[in-house]
Amino acid sequence: DQQVKQNSPSLSVQEGRISILNCDYTNSMFDYFLWYKKYPAEGPTFLISISSIKDKNEDGRFTVFLNKSAKHLSLHIVPSQPGDSAVYFCAASNYNNNDMRFGAGTRLTVKP
Amino acid sequence: EAGVAQSPRYKIIEKRQSVAFWCNPISGHATLYWYQQILGQGPKLLIQFQNNGVVDDSQLPKDRFSAERLKGVDSTLKIQPAKLEDSAVYLCASSLAHRPTDTQYFGPGTRLTVL
């Protein structure tokens, strides 16, 4: 069951520009959303999260936006750096049921 | 602070054989998770433990998969017998407690190839 979808398998941007990664979900019971970053041969690492009571959360160069009516969230990276090149996973959960569902990931490549 | 440790890192077996994976979570973390990540997909939760008790194993194929967390620390995940479709990376994660807001820290994973 694809409750969390990342429709872009890959994205390539130039260093210094904005990277926008998108994620859609179908389950309206999800109320907590996360982004994880994964380098080759490593496990995913937590990047940023947002609760459904907010529509924006910012941490340095990373901002996550949530549009509940559209069941859509996005991750903005500004400015993008070559070290940001990785696979980014969107994940969703519910406060009452800690069963986190992941999207298939988007591979971001930041070119120098 | 030491991260989540997993072993082995790689395993190749023939179908119908058995295999076991080991995970040592971050010290003090009460909750431990096992995920299966098939190539091209996101991680899928198989089972989660709170201390040494199972919280959720609804997505664990119990006819062939089993997991235990004796003494509420280390955990093992076993597949017996393995099928071709079990080829995947098996990720272990741990968190301080059992809340979605508790960050899950992942180990490097065990890559299983079933021939």
Side-chain angles (χ1 to χ4, degrees):
Chain A
D1 61 348
Q2 286 275 293
Q3 296 188 45
V4 179
K5 297 179 183 178
Q6 294 177 255
N7 293 319
S8 298
S10 62
L11 174 68
S12 181
V13 300
Q14 208 66 35
E15 180 179 6
R17 306 295 287 268
I18 184 171
S19 295
I20 301 176
L21 295 96
N22 293 303
C23 177
D24 298 291
Y25 62 96
T26 57
N27 189 339
S28 57
M29 298 301 291
F30 290 142
D31 52 16
Y32 192 68
F33 305 89
L34 310 92
W35 285 93
Y36 278 81
K37 175 179 177 179
K38 185 183 183 302
Y39 292 118
E42 295 182 13
T45 55
F46 170 76
L47 191 57
I48 192 169
S49 63
I50 188 167
S51 166
S52 60
I53 61 173
K54 295 185 174 181
D55 55 18
K56 177 183 174 182
N57 188 26
E58 196 171 350
D59 183 3
R61 297 185 297 114
F62 302 90
T63 303
V64 56
F65 295 91
L66 175 63
N67 182 333
K68 283 177 290 184
S69 60
K71 293 191 179 68
H72 177 83
L73 64 156
S74 61
L75 174 69
H76 292 208
I77 307 174
V78 184
S80 301
Q81 300 173 354
D84 296 330
S85 296
V87 177
Y88 289 78
F89 291 99
C90 170
S93 187
N94 178 280
Y95 280 102
N96 294 322
N97 174 6
N98 192 16
D99 177 3
M100 193 157 64
R101 301 292 173 123
F102 284 82
T106 297
R107 181 177 300 278
L108 173 66
T109 303
V110 181
K111 297 180 179 179
Chain B
E1 179 183 84
V4 176
Q6 289 188 248
S7 68
R9 292 296 308 275
Y10 304 92
K11 189 74 177 178
I12 300 174
I13 61 173
E14 306 239 334
K15 59 183 179 184
R16 291 188 289 273
Q17 285 188 318
S18 302
V19 65
F21 313 126
W22 174 82
C23 172
N24 182 234
I26 292 173
S27 177
H29 279 194
T31 308
L32 184 146
Y33 312 80
W34 281 103
Y35 288 87
Q36 178 193 58
Q37 186 179 9
I38 293 172
L39 188 64
Q41 299 180 18
K44 171 189 165 186
L45 180 68
L46 293 175
I47 188 169
Q48 54 177 312
F49 293 93
Q50 176 76 357
N51 296 309
N52 61 350
V54 175
V55 175
D56 180 8
D57 63 357
S58 58
Q59 298 190 90
L60 186 75
K62 298 181 189 64
D63 58 334
R64 298 183 300 106
F65 286 65
S66 64
E68 59 183 10
R69 190 183 183 197
L70 299 175
K71 301 181 182 178
V73 182
D74 293 7
S75 177
T76 55
L77 176 70
K78 296 179 182 177
I79 307 175
Q80 180 178 13
K83 292 185 176 181
L84 296 176
E85 59 261 35
D86 297 333
S87 294
V89 175
Y90 290 84
L91 294 162
C92 179
S94 70
S95 62
L96 204 57
H98 184 243
R99 295 175 297 246
T101 50
D102 290 310
T103 300
Q104 292 189 28
Y105 295 87
F106 284 82
T110 296
R111 181 177 296 278
L112 172 67
T113 302
V114 182
L115 303 175

